[in-house]
């Protein structure tokens, strides 16, 4: 049997190599010599080698061969085979084979082995796509370990069921770094950056050393929340522990700095990165574009092309955004054409969205409308929203009515479209039409997403929701607001702009509600909680309203503070009474 041992040795050297060809050559030799027919161990080794190769599906027919040869699988065969199955979801009969393997495992009494069990749970959750069965296995198995839980946590989080992922996480007996990472990233994917940071601080408290995937998740959470201090802490941690900045970590840092309003620090990280892939370039380009530094973003785009990195569809979104925020209409058209002609990338709805936005902003409303009518896919709410913003800015009521008709058809229960139309009517003196829209909204029970603003004070995120007075320092905040109100009225002649206040409340209450918009509460709180020269950073979930935009400009002048607001689409840097967006947003 020295020959068998020799082949086993050869196969063990093939593992993890990627290339399946040498394995196939050994397999052919084993078939010709008749050795394969006599050895379950050789089947085992072949399956295992193929499972970690670039062509895992080649392992599947071996399982049938094993049975035809009258041999039985070992506890080692099944996990490798199930892994190959999970990696070849497109292979014909993959799911059926997975179920058959499960049946064999039961029949042969192999389900008591931890590795077999874990592999079965994984394949039920991923390939077969039946989470209840995966759970049943988890609950009824004699042997489970952290990796079993980790698999299920990841699958749940990816499916957007973060609460289920959390309950599994909480009941886990011993968590390892993979479990923490799965949970942090799960919250980030669910858009709950705040909870992601809570989980991360618990992880630190328990003395678990973070690895790259957790740190990337934490940086993404900071980017979501605008939590600059915590993001900087991660950067400091990387430096202090001499952790090399991989392309993933670097990209996450660039994104965090850009979204926290410190695009310059992002640029420094970007320049120091050794490897830059298309995602890294795109993140930097988008960051600059968001900050209104469109020309620099476009220079970077050409640099990327020159460095031999081909732009993909996402990179073009970044470049088109840069044109939009800077008003470069011709450059935008040129890029859109080069995407199609030079790179043969088929424009997606997002690219049309950028183009419509670019044209509409610059007053080319008919051209924008033409683009909407000619695009090959059905326009979505973002497209109509972009066209609508142009109508609002350029006061084109006729086109606005055209847009709204289509938009409301698409999203009958969202408030955005109704609010904008009512505002356009009010602004052009058509009060009866505005009232009619408000009436329709109430009739249909259209829901309004409440405005929500985050502000970070000494590393702690404070969240304010419009009209919500539950903050522990609310009394001081309202007193401060009163003072601000008096100062901007007397020093700058401020009069509240009631057009965009909540539409279904009475006129006198409007002024009150307006002063409780979330970013106003957040700014008042930041003013009483920080020292004189500290810039104030706010992250808001909706578009900033006209009144808040105006008020923030006045506060930046009266209180001599830089205020940086990131709203749903862009950054506003308020300084000395004016804003970097030049009042188009
Ligand atoms: Zn507001
Ligand atoms: Zn602005």
């Amino acid at each position: 049997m020295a020959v068998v041992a020799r082949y086993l040795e050869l196969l063990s050297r093939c593992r993890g190599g990627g290339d399946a060809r040498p394995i196939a050559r050994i397999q052919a030799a084993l078939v010709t010599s008749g050795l394969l027919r006599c050895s379950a161990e050789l089947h085992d080794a072949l399956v295992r080698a193929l499972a970690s190769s670039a062509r895992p599906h080649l392992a599947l027919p071996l399982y049938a061969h094993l049975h035809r040869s009258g041999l039985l699988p070992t506890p080692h065969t099944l996990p490798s085979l199930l892994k190959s199955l999970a990696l070849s979801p497109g292979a014909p009969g993959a799911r059926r084979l997975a179920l058959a393997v499960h049946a064999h495992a039961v029949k042969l009494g192999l389900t008591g082995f931890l590795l077999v069990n874990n592999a079965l749970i994984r394949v039920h959750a991923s390939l077969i796509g039946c989470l209840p069965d995966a759970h049943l296995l988890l609950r009824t198995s004699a042997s489970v370990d952290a990796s079993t839980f980790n698999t299920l946590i990841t699958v749940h989080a990816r499916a957007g069921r973060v609460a289920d992922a959390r309950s599994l996480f909480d009941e886990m007996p011993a968590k390892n770094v993979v479990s923490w990472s799965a949970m942090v990233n799960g919250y980030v994917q669910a858009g709950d950056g705040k909870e992601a940071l809570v989980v991360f601080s618990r992880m630190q408290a328990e003395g678990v050393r973070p690895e790259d995937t957790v740190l990337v998740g934490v940086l993404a959470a900071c980017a979501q929340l605008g939590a600059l201090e915590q993001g900087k802490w991660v950067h400091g941690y990387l430096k202090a522990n001499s952790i090399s900045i991989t392309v993933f970590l670097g990209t996450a840092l660039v994104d965090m700095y850009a979204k926290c309003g410190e695009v310059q620090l992002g640029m420094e990280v970007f320049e120091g990165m050794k490897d830059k892939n298309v995602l890294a370039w795109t993140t930097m380009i988008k960051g600059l574009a968001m900050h209104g530094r469109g020309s620099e973003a476009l220079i970077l785009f050409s640099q990327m092309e020159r460095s031999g990195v081909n732009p993909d569809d996402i990179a073009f979104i970044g470049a088109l955004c840069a044109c939009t925020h800077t008003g470069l209409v011709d450059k935008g058209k040129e890029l859109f054409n080069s995407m199609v002609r030079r790179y043969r990338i088929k424009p997606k709805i997002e690219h049309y969205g950028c183009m419509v936005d670019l044209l509409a902003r610059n007053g080319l409303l008919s051209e924008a409308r033409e683009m909407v009518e000619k695009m090959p896919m059905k326009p979505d709410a973002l497209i109509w929203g972009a066209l609508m913003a142009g109508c609002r800015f350029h006061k084109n009521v006729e086109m606005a009515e055209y847009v709204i008709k289509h938009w409301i058809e698409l999203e009958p229960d969202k408030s955005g479209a109704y609010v904008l139309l009512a505002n356009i009517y009010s602004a052009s003196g058509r009060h009866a039409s505005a009232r009619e829209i408000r009436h329709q909204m109430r009739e249909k029970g259209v829901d309004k997403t409440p405005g929500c603003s985050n502000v970070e004070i000494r590393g702690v995120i404070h969240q304010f929701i419009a009209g919500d007075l539950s903050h522990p320092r609310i009394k001081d905040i309202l007193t401060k607001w009163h003072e601000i109100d008096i100062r901007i009225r007397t020093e700058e002649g401020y009069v509240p702009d009631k057009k965009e206040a909540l539409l279904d409340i009475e006129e006198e209450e409007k002024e009150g509600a307006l002063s409780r918009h979330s970013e106003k509460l957040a700014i008042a709180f930041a003013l009483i909680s920080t020292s004189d020269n500290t810039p104030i950073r706010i992250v808001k979930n909706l578009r900033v309203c006209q009144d808040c935009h105006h008020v923030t400009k006045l506060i930046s002048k009266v209180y001599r503070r830089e205020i940086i607001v990131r709203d749903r689409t862009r950054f506003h840097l308020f300084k000395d009474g004016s804003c970097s967006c030049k009042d188009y947003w």
Side-chain angles (χ1 to χ4, degrees):
M1 279 294 109
V3 199
V4 173
R6 172 84 193 116
Y7 275 114
L8 288 175
E9 159 77 24
L10 276 176
L11 282 169
S12 74
R13 269 192 238 148
C14 293
R15 261 151 63 188
D19 190 358
R21 279 170 304 184
I23 310 170
R25 277 197 292 273
I26 298 173
Q27 184 176 347
L30 286 170
V31 171
T32 329
S33 63
L35 274 173
L36 189 61
R37 254 188 302 122
C38 321
S39 164
E41 245 186 317
L42 281 171
H43 279 91
D44 232 28
L46 273 172
V47 170
R48 211 176 314 167
L50 286 167
S52 58
S53 78
R55 309 185 69 191
H57 62 279
L58 294 178
L60 311 188
L62 271 165
Y63 191 63
H65 186 270
L66 173 91
H67 283 282
R68 275 204 308 276
S69 314
L71 301 167
L72 291 175
T74 71
H76 302 292
T77 321
L78 296 189
S80 311
L81 182 70
L82 289 166
K83 183 179 162 198
S84 317
L85 277 166
L87 291 172
S88 356
R95 285 162 182 233
R96 231 177 328 128
L97 185 54
L99 289 170
V101 170
H102 190 175
H104 286 164
V106 174
K107 203 164 126 187
L108 299 168
L110 297 175
T111 49
F113 290 90
L114 179 66
L115 285 177
V116 175
N117 237 329
N118 275 346
L120 283 171
I121 291 176
R122 205 164 293 155
V123 90
H124 274 284
S126 57
L127 175 70
I128 301 176
C130 184
L131 280 170
D133 283 357
H135 269 261
L136 188 67
L137 274 171
L138 179 77
R139 301 275 168 253
T140 54
S141 307
S143 49
V144 289
D145 66 355
S147 80
T148 324
F149 276 94
N150 293 344
T151 306
L152 279 181
I153 290 170
T154 310
V155 172
H156 274 299
R158 281 202 190 128
R161 295 160 57 164
V162 72
D164 291 329
R166 181 58 185 264
S167 62
L168 279 167
F169 179 77
D170 286 338
E171 72 174 82
M172 271 183 86
K175 304 173 184 41
N176 59 23
V177 67
V178 181
S179 332
W180 290 100
S181 164
M183 208 56 245
V184 167
N185 284 292
Y187 277 118
V188 170
Q189 271 162 31
D192 190 349
K194 211 170 173 194
E195 196 54 35
L197 293 184
V198 172
V199 172
F200 179 64
S201 61
R202 248 185 72 195
M203 168 180 163
Q204 286 175 289
E206 295 194 11
V208 183
R209 210 182 140 76
E211 54 171 41
D212 286 13
T213 51
V214 183
L215 295 172
V216 167
V218 171
L219 287 169
C222 295
Q224 269 177 12
L225 292 165
L228 180 64
E229 290 310 314
Q230 306 216 38
K232 274 186 175 164
W233 179 89
V234 174
H235 196 184
Y237 178 90
L238 295 174
K239 282 184 196 156
N241 290 278
S242 322
I243 296 172
S244 72
I245 307 241
T246 59
V247 65
F248 301 106
L249 277 170
T251 305
L253 279 169
V254 170
D255 191 45
M256 180 278 293
Y257 277 128
K259 291 196 176 138
C260 290
E262 289 289 352
V263 71
Q264 201 47 46
L265 293 177
M267 198 68 195
E268 281 164 27
V269 173
F270 181 75
E271 277 166 358
M273 281 167 71
K274 264 189 250 121
D275 302 322
K276 294 180 184 116
N277 59 14
V278 67
L279 185 64
W281 284 96
T282 305
T283 308
M284 194 66 246
I285 291 168
K286 274 186 163 168
L288 287 167
M290 264 180 112
H291 286 269
R293 292 165 64 169
S295 338
E296 284 165 82
L298 292 172
I299 292 172
L300 216 57
F301 187 82
S302 337
Q303 262 179 33
M304 170 178 77
E305 284 180 301
R306 277 202 303 277
S307 77
V309 174
N310 272 343
D312 61 2
D313 58 327
I314 305 170
F316 271 103
I317 294 178
L320 290 173
C321 268
C323 298
T324 307
H325 288 309
T326 328
L328 302 165
V329 180
D330 292 334
K331 180 70 192 170
K333 287 181 183 168
E334 183 195 313
L335 276 168
F336 191 75
N337 287 334
S338 94
M339 172 168 96
V340 182
R341 300 222 177 98
R342 181 163 167 211
Y343 292 101
R344 310 239 165 258
I345 298 172
K346 228 167 119 190
K348 292 188 178 155
I349 194 154
E350 292 89 343
H351 301 101
Y352 284 102
C354 289
M355 286 308 289
V356 170
D357 194 2
L358 175 63
L359 296 168
R361 260 167 210 264
N362 291 285
L364 302 166
L365 289 169
S366 341
E367 216 175 309
R369 175 176 168 167
E370 207 175 296
M371 186 134 225
V372 173
E373 282 167 353
K374 274 206 311 220
M375 53 191 266
M377 60 288 276
K378 223 173 142 296
D380 63 4
L382 287 174
I383 300 261
W384 293 122
L387 192 48
M388 189 64 187
C391 297
R392 186 177 67 96
F393 194 77
H394 298 287
K395 305 204 171 31
N396 188 330
V397 181
E398 223 167 287
M399 182 86 80
E401 283 176 327
Y402 158 84
V403 173
I404 288 294
K405 220 181 82 214
H406 291 87
W407 193 356
I408 289 178
E409 231 167 72
L410 199 68
E411 287 193 336
D413 15 284
K414 286 272 176 63
S415 60
Y418 293 94
V419 175
L420 281 171
L421 183 60
N423 290 345
I424 289 175
Y425 282 143
S426 308
S428 55
R430 291 168 61 178
H431 299 292
S433 309
R435 263 197 302 278
E436 173 57 24
I437 296 290
R438 283 173 215 182
H439 179 69
Q440 276 184 28
M441 278 178 80
R442 232 168 297 150
E443 247 353 33
K444 292 186 184 146
V446 172
D447 90 291
K448 290 194 213 71
T449 312
C452 170
S453 294
N454 287 338
V455 59
E456 190 188 46
I457 307 286
R458 285 181 289 281
V460 179
I461 298 287
H462 296 260
Q463 199 163 65
F464 293 90
I465 296 169
D468 171 32
L469 304 179
S470 64
H471 193 275
R473 293 194 60 195
I474 193 66
K475 265 197 172 157
D476 304 333
I477 294 170
L478 292 179
T479 310
K480 184 69 184 180
W481 179 254
H482 189 64
E483 177 212 299
I484 295 171
D485 193 46
I486 292 172
R487 282 193 64 181
I488 57 179
R489 277 174 202 259
T490 50
E491 294 173 36
E492 295 296 325
Y494 162 71
V495 182
D497 177 351
K498 295 171 215 163
K499 285 199 292 284
E500 286 196 55
L502 297 167
L503 289 170
D504 53 357
I505 52 168
E506 296 308 316
E507 206 65 30
E508 310 96 270
E509 284 171 31
K510 253 190 207 167
E511 209 165 301
L514 205 51
S515 68
R516 283 171 181 55
H517 275 190
S518 61
E519 59 268 58
K520 292 196 180 111
L521 296 173
I523 291 173
F525 177 63
L527 282 175
I528 54 175
S529 320
T530 53
S531 53
D532 276 351
N533 295 317
T534 332
I536 297 173
R537 290 193 172 75
I538 311 273
V539 173
K540 163 146 211 217
N541 65 336
L542 304 174
R543 198 179 135 263
V544 176
C545 87
Q546 205 113 35
D547 184 68
C548 289
H549 196 267
H550 184 52
V551 164
T552 312
K553 285 201 283 192
L554 300 181
I555 296 176
S556 75
K557 187 173 177 194
V558 171
Y559 288 85
R560 292 204 196 119
R561 283 279 190 125
E562 255 180 47
I563 303 172
I564 301 131
V565 178
R566 179 178 115 204
D567 76 357
R568 203 174 45 194
T569 53
R570 64 164 299 140
F571 270 94
H572 303 264
L573 168 60
F574 297 92
K575 206 175 164 183
D576 301 327
S578 61
C579 178
S580 63
C581 76
K582 301 185 185 72
D583 297 336
Y584 191 105
W585 75 98

